[in-house]
Amino acid sequence: MTETITMVPDPHLMESMRAVGYTLETAIADLIDNSITAGASRVDLLFSGEGEGYVAVIDDGAGMTPSEAQNAMRLAGKNSLSGRAANDLGRFGLGLKTASISQCRDLTVVSKKDGKLHGYRWDLDYLIESGTWSLLQLAEDECQTLPEFAELDKKPTGTLVIWRKLDQLEAMAGDLDRGFDESMVRVRKHLGLVFHRYLAGEHGRKFDIAINYRAIEGADPLLQSHRATQAGPLEKIHVEGEVIELRPFTLPHLNKLSSADRQRAQVDGSLRDSQGFYIYREKRLVIWGTWFRIAPKQELGKLARVRVDIPNTLDHLWALDIKKAQAVPPPAIRNRLRQIADNIVGPSRRVHEYRGRRAASGPVSHLWDVVDDRTSFRYEINRNHPAIVVLEASMASDESRMLGALITMLEQSFPVEDVYNRLGQDAVHSPHSADDVELNMLAVSLWESLSGALGPERFVDSMLNSEPFNAHPRARGILENVVNS
């Protein structure tokens, strides 16, 4: 039979706490923090929009005794300044309650430990109706009728958290079935991001998260496993006897990224918006894609990322909020972060400016030159490129002037702004590459015009140092066949 335990005299306080600012994905992540702290190796997130609808989070952690479970349901059950174990992802002792009631009006927690089962429930409607802040204590037979209880029953220890009366989700989506499908896509992405190091086993043990039995894959926004990602040296900052670790990363250029890589790297919608510091608290990602206003976000810096590992013992310095979604670095650390930000944008700029042009020997003769006037720049066609020189030499003076005018028109109409906008949207430039037939026709025309001035060997070497021959893998063979035919 259900019993009541009076916890706090003002039942209306719970209603006011619903507006803390959680989203569905950040609220569920808070529950998973508790599972990790409890030593769980697996967390199952199960949901259904049929009937009343519910969200259930089940783990195989250590479980709780009756007093531990009641304390977990109590507001601020743990002092935010008290000592914590290294794997404790909690902060204020508010996560379970504030995260849950931000999304539902009915929170039930059932935990199994030492062979015993304990169930407790907050029902906001009951609190208002009764006029007292009364925690409902469930009998064992009541626990057994709860949604997804069978999954907890299979485990020797663990905890089941159930959300019902999902008024927030229903208000946004109108229909729970459709709302669940759309919302859980965001939840899957969010959990794969913030727990990617746990899913990769970096904390020293196996850990899995599944949504309706479909495993979540970790999504590393730093692309550390990509062979073209450049990792900088590890730095350590000592603060109050603790260590903060920083390591910069420069992501590969867009042309070297697969579509899956780009999705992982575009954390905040675009690479430009995703640059900056990535703050991990005990390997759990809490803040990402920000320079903390110590540096601007630049187009040439969009490949720059800095991983910052902080221990939970320094929460008070970082002013970490209840949702573990906002933090402010302390002044001593902020100064070092400013230096790191200045240094990391350099490699990102170089990756952008380098385009992999390959020269057989000596400088490459490009079709386009960049003219830098310090405060401005422009693109000009290289009048000394062999193809331009040959074409101009074959023309009469009037035709040569027309060619010069046409080249000037091309230069003045170069679509710089359009290119900038497309690259800013992380579009990948895929230039037309001349095939063997096109390259052979160009080589024949140039050889016919230059054979009198250049011998076969000089001609081949000159062309291999000129676009488009320099980037073609079979250019040497094509050129040698032309001069020897």
Side-chain angles (χ1 to χ4, degrees), residues 334-380:
R334 190 181 183 87
N335 292 336
R336 186 66 195 108
L337 293 183
R338 180 178 288 106
Q339 297 171 354
I340 292 284
D342 292 340
N343 293 336
I344 187 62
V345 171
S348 175
R349 182 183 293 111
R350 288 194 292 273
V351 170
H352 268 294
E353 292 174 344
Y354 177 68
R355 288 294 177 269
R357 292 185 170 111
R358 176 174 52 84
S361 62
V364 176
S365 181
H366 300 303
L367 274 167
W368 287 94
D369 287 334
V370 181
V371 180
D372 193 340
D373 294 329
R374 292 190 179 182
T375 58
S376 64
F377 69 94
R378 65 183 184 277
Y379 293 97
E380 290 185 352

Side-chain angles (χ1 to χ4, degrees), residues 206-239:
K206 177 179 170 59
F207 182 70
D208 297 307
I209 308 173
I211 298 182
N212 280 2
Y213 305 108
R214 183 183 164 203
I216 292 178
E217 294 184 6
D220 177 11
L222 307 178
L223 304 185
Q224 295 171 75
S225 62
H226 197 290
R227 58 184 178 83
T229 296
Q230 302 172 26
L234 179 68
E235 282 198 43
K236 295 184 178 182
I237 302 176
H238 296 270
V239 180

Side-chain angles (χ1 to χ4, degrees), residues 294-364:
I294 62 179
K297 288 188 175 181
Q298 307 173 36
E299 184 65 24
L300 292 180
K302 68 182 182 180
L303 302 179
R305 312 277 165 100
V306 182
R307 189 183 73 200
V308 182
D309 281 297
I310 62 175
N312 58 16
T313 50
L314 295 180
D315 286 346
H316 60 290
L317 292 182
W318 285 80
L320 190 69
D321 72 348
I322 292 175
K323 306 185 300 298
K324 296 184 284 289
Q326 293 182 2
V328 179
I333 299 171
R334 190 181 183 87
N335 292 336
R336 186 66 195 108
L337 293 183
R338 180 178 288 106
Q339 297 171 354
I340 292 284
D342 292 340
N343 293 336
I344 187 62
V345 171
S348 175
R349 182 183 293 111
R350 288 194 292 273
V351 170
H352 268 294
E353 292 174 344
Y354 177 68
R355 288 294 177 269
R357 292 185 170 111
R358 176 174 52 84
S361 62
V364 176

